[in-house]
Amino acid sequence: MRKGRKVTRYIAAYDTERVSAPSCAEACEAIIAAHKRYDMPATFFIVGRALEATPDLYRRLLDDPLFEIASHTYSHRMVRDHPFCGPAASVDTIREQILRGKEVVDRVFPDRRCIGLRPGCSFVDGLKGAAGVLKQVAEAGYEYVSSMAWGPDYTLPAPLNQSFSYADEGFAQIVEYPCHGWHDNVLKSMSKPGFWAEPRRLLAFPPLFPEAIPTGPITTAEDEFRYNSKVFIDRANQSGLDYVSLIWHPWSLALFDPKMRMLDLTFQYVREQGLEPTTYARMHHESVRNTDAN
Ligand SMILES: [Zn+2]
């Protein structure tokens, strides 16, 4: 660890969403094992319906102080228009996505409190300009959203945007924590028909992260580490950013790399480089405490 500069946090996070095989719950077995090997915290954003399908399994896997359980909406419907994932759902459906998603997490994990929401697919501007959605988020009792996961014009990889509040929309108490890098399923061309369209026009020109652009879909865990984890961890760490957090999906990680070798490579690297592993909730609580103290 270098002296005289703050340590960049590292947050492992998973969009945990798929019920049918390969289910995210099954994939979590190997993921959790990797986390335990490295004593590595994580945030799991879980779709309410997926959690309802196998609550006991998720409880057995995730009821551990290492892990934060947050919401990935109730059933992955869009809370605003998205060019690849489809138009926004009706106002009532959006409300259900936000409210019921949190209710399910709170019911399955009664000793925790779900404070974070990551909407399905996320957006280039997060929830900027979406005061109606933020009102539902605030009323449901969330404290943060992680809804910004794309580069300019919905390109990938997503840049290393850092946190901000939605004060301009009238919700200064809601904090945005953007996420970074490739959506791992896209980097592997792993999207499945009916689950996610396969967008092909995805790269910004000129690229913001040339070292993160392979010549085609990657084929090995080492490539995933090299083109995604390492690039963004290095850039965040060298720039002294508050945090870096990649966009991972358990089902896609399991299809590509069932032994979770990429996680081993990434977690080992995080430890070697001296980043501080944490969760979104823990980072949020630290930041709120610091703000209150000022
Ligand atoms: Zn998702």
Side-chain angles (χ1 to χ4, degrees):
M1 204 181 296
R2 280 152 291 186
K3 281 187 181 154
R5 85 194 264 288
K6 73 179 178 196
V7 175
T8 298
R9 297 179 181 89
Y10 167 78
I11 303 173
Y14 301 90
D15 293 359
T16 312
E17 56 200 16
R18 191 163 172 140
V19 179
S20 56
S23 80
C24 282
E26 286 160 17
C28 278
E29 297 264 10
I31 289 171
I32 298 302
H35 278 268
K36 300 228 159 137
R37 281 198 290 281
Y38 292 88
D39 193 28
M40 182 67 56
T43 296
F44 288 82
F45 295 99
I46 310 186
V47 163
R49 268 200 186 150
L51 194 47
E52 282 177 339
T54 51
D56 294 340
L57 178 54
Y58 275 117
R59 212 179 288 118
R60 175 171 67 74
L61 289 168
L62 300 182
D63 203 1
D64 182 305
L66 264 185
F67 306 129
E68 174 195 5
I69 302 105
S71 174
H72 193 32
T73 70
Y74 179 64
S75 61
H76 215 271
R77 300 285 302 276
M78 293 300 100
V79 302
R80 64 187 314 189
D81 292 338
H82 193 291
F84 305 137
C85 301
S90 69
V91 172
D92 286 348
T93 301
I94 291 171
R95 184 177 166 76
E96 182 192 36
Q97 293 298 307
I98 292 170
L99 266 177
R100 214 166 150 195
K102 175 170 158 58
E103 278 167 13
V104 177
V105 175
D106 286 338
R107 191 166 68 238
V108 175
F109 294 93
D111 300 334
R112 311 289 194 93
R113 202 167 68 82
C114 169
I115 64 161
L117 171 70
R118 176 170 289 172
C121 296
S122 290
F123 310 97
V124 67
D125 295 320
L127 297 181
K128 280 183 190 170
V133 177
L134 284 161
K135 183 166 182 285
Q136 305 289 356
V137 168
E139 283 178 9
Y142 293 100
E143 295 180 21
Y144 78 85
V145 292
S146 178
S147 68
M148 189 181 259
W150 296 87
D153 297 324
Y154 279 93
T155 53
L156 287 178
L160 287 158
N161 292 316
Q162 299 288 293
S163 67
F164 59 87
S165 97
Y166 283 105
D168 287 352
E169 284 74 15
F171 296 92
Q173 78 277 26
I174 303 289
V175 179
E176 167 72 42
Y177 294 106
C179 46
H180 312 129
W182 287 94
H183 298 210
D184 80 287
N185 52 325
V186 177
L187 182 60
K188 301 158 185 166
S189 201
M190 191 62 87
S191 297
K192 291 280 171 187
F195 190 75
W196 224 69
E198 186 169 354
R200 289 187 175 273
R201 299 184 181 97
L202 265 181
L203 295 175
F205 180 81
L208 305 178
F209 298 90
E211 70 274 40
I213 314 293
T215 52
I218 57 161
T219 57
T220 67
E222 286 72 18
D223 276 351
E224 184 169 13
F225 171 70
R226 176 178 155 209
Y227 285 108
N228 198 28
S229 301
K230 185 176 184 306
V231 171
F232 292 93
I233 290 168
D234 281 354
R235 286 260 201 134
N237 198 19
Q238 284 155 12
S239 312
L241 299 183
D242 280 345
Y243 77 101
V244 55
S245 184
L246 299 158
I247 306 157
W248 287 341
H249 301 78
W251 63 269
S252 163
L253 297 181
L255 275 173
F256 183 73
D257 174 24
K259 293 201 160 70
M260 302 294 164
R261 171 128 183 81
M262 185 278 287
L263 297 188
D264 279 315
L265 293 169
T266 302
F267 298 162
Q268 205 173 326
Y269 193 67
V270 165
R271 292 289 183 200
E272 282 167 11
Q273 297 298 309
L275 281 84
E276 180 192 328
T278 190
T279 64
Y280 280 99
R282 215 174 296 156
M283 173 168 71
H284 178 69
H285 288 140
E286 284 166 11
S287 127
V288 170
R289 262 200 305 276
N290 287 342
T291 311
D292 289 349
N294 287 338

